[in-house]
Amino acid sequence: WARSNGGCAYAALSSDRGDQWSPFQRLCPTPMANGPATIKRIPGTRRLAMLHNDRSEVPFGHPHFQWRTPLAVSVSDDEGATWQAHKPVIADNSHNYCYYSMCFFNDRCLVTTYESAETPRDDGTVARNNLRSLRAVVVANNWWQDA
């Protein structure tokens, strides 16, 4: 999978260990900012979980569309051919969430993400400075199952 600034992530497939690749196709459960998605298989299942920034509430092209918030998850039960919006992992829109990861262990999953800090500008607007702190969230593995 690859990120893009076109409001969606894209994916290409290879059946020969990377010698040849299919054309890129849209991989869009919801509109997303130009941030990398993280995709992992939920242990003991065929379900894929994808962390991404859900921008469905902001029109593409709006200056805030590229904010990386909220941190959401979508799931796929057909090897990534289609995705369904699932739940927000972090619904707070006051920060950006970047470079997230999932680590499954026993019956839990550790989700980590860099979280932004806001810096006021002279013109009264706010700049979001990414990579200011690391945030961790622990969820039960069955949390990913409720679609």
Side-chain angles (χ1 to χ4, degrees), residues 45-48 75-84 145 147:
T45 74
R46 298 297 303 156
R47 176 170 273 188
L48 295 171
V75 294
S76 175
D77 293 313
D78 57 10
E79 295 298 311
T82 60
W83 294 88
Q84 302 83 244
Q145 301 304 320

Side-chain angles (χ1 to χ4, degrees), residues 102-130:
M102 290 181 277
C103 180
F104 290 95
F105 57 95
N106 296 327
D107 64 343
R108 301 268 188 258
C109 179
L110 173 66
V111 176
T112 61
T113 181
Y114 281 108
E115 186 174 84
S116 68
E118 294 188 348
T119 305
R121 293 182 178 147
D122 293 338
D123 65 1
T125 61
V126 174
R128 289 192 173 183
N129 300 309
N130 293 335

Side-chain angles (χ1 to χ4, degrees), residues 6 10 12 19 32 38 42 48-49 52 55-56 60 62 68 71 73 80 83 91 98 103 112 138-139 142-143 145:
Y10 287 79
D19 287 335
M32 59 182 75
T38 296
I42 300 166
L48 295 171
H52 60 90
R55 300 310 290 151
S56 59
F60 181 74
H62 187 280
R68 296 179 183 179
L71 182 57
V73 65
W83 294 88
C98 312
C103 180
T112 61
V138 177
V139 296
N142 63 3
W143 181 86
Q145 301 304 320

